[in-house]
Amino acid sequence: SITQAGVTGPATVIIQGLGIGMMSCVPPVLIIVATILGCNALSGDYGVAMAAVGMLSTLGVTLATDAYGPIADNAGGIAEMAELEERVRETTDALDALGNTTAATGKGFAIGSAVLTSLSLLTAFKDKAKVDTADIGDPVVLSG
C-alpha cells in the first residue's frame, strides 16, 4: 500500500508509512494487555510480577542480541574504509541486516518487560504507601 501511495507524490508516501507504522504497534500492545490481564486473572499482582521476572531473566541473551547490530555495522564500515574486496562488503551488509532485525526484536522485548516491571513496581509502591485512590496500579484499569 505504500508503493501505491507513491503514485501521487512523496507526501502521501510519508503519511502512508506513518499510518502503517502506527498500525504495526497494535498487535504488540494487544499482546502486552492480554499478558497483563491473564497474569492478573491467574495470580493477581504476584502473577504480573512473576511474568516481569520471567522476561527479565533472559536479559543477558536479549542484551547480547541487541549488541550484535552495532558490531556488524562497524565491521562493514571497517571493511569499506580498508577498501577490502566487494565480497567482504556484501557479507558484512548481510550481517548488518541481520543485526538490525535482532536489534528491533530486542527493543520490543525490552519494552514489554519494562511495562510489566513498571506495573509491578507501581503496585508495590501503592501497597507500601497505603494509597487507595490511585487506580492506575490496578492491571485492569492500566490495560484500558
Side-chain angles (χ1 to χ4, degrees), residues 44-131:
D45 295 335
Y46 182 74
V48 176
M50 287 289 85
V53 169
M55 287 187 78
L56 290 173
S57 68
T58 61
L59 187 62
V61 174
T62 305
L63 287 176
T65 301
D66 203 21
Y68 175 77
I71 293 170
D73 187 40
N74 288 344
I78 291 170
E80 188 173 337
M81 288 186 291
E83 298 177 359
L84 296 177
E85 300 173 21
E86 186 61 32
R87 67 176 180 80
V88 175
R89 187 63 187 158
E90 289 173 5
T91 303
T92 57
D93 284 345
L95 292 173
D96 187 33
L98 177 65
N100 292 337
T101 303
T102 58
T105 305
K107 301 271 189 283
F109 193 82
I111 290 169
S113 63
V115 167
L116 293 174
T117 304
S118 62
L119 176 60
S120 299
L121 290 173
L122 184 63
T123 304
F125 173 76
K126 189 179 111 179
D127 290 344
K128 188 73 170 173
K130 302 201 184 335
V131 177

Side-chain angles (χ1 to χ4, degrees), residues 1-17 20:
S1 65
I2 295 177
T3 55
Q4 294 170 349
V7 174
T8 58
T12 54
V13 172
I14 293 171
I15 293 170
Q16 185 71 18
I20 288 177

